[in-house]
Amino acid sequence: MRDQCRIWHSRLADGAPPNWRKLGENVGMGGAVGQIHTAYMNSPGHRANVLDPEFTDIGTAAVWGNCGGYRTLFTVHVFMKS
């Protein structure tokens, strides 16, 4: 995503272990951690993933890139109920 300066959702089930029961994913990009967090929490679907008590596992990643001359942070959260 960083190299293409855009975000998209993955096909979560393709990489999930066989015991998964529920999957969720948040992807975001912006100029700062706080900016992306605010966007997640202001989006009903992303907020629901963050606050869903059914999820038992989470994986996260963040990487900085340069998009159009601007320093840009890309973040991913993957949620799973096993």
Side-chain angles (χ1 to χ4, degrees), residues 11-82:
R11 292 174 39 120
L12 289 175
D14 287 351
N19 64 330
W20 72 273
R21 300 292 174 256
K22 182 178 181 178
L23 298 170
E25 179 183 55
N26 291 349
V27 295
M29 63 186 279
V33 171
Q35 177 189 19
I36 299 169
H37 175 73
T38 297
Y40 282 150
M41 298 312 283
N42 286 337
S43 163
H46 293 101
R47 181 183 179 90
N49 281 340
V50 170
L51 299 177
D52 190 333
E54 289 189 6
F55 287 126
T56 56
D57 303 277
I58 182 173
T60 64
V63 64
W64 285 100
N66 186 333
C67 296
Y70 295 97
R71 188 171 174 189
T72 306
L73 180 64
F74 293 81
T75 65
V76 177
H77 306 143
V78 177
F79 305 91
M80 184 179 80
K81 175 183 178 181
S82 53

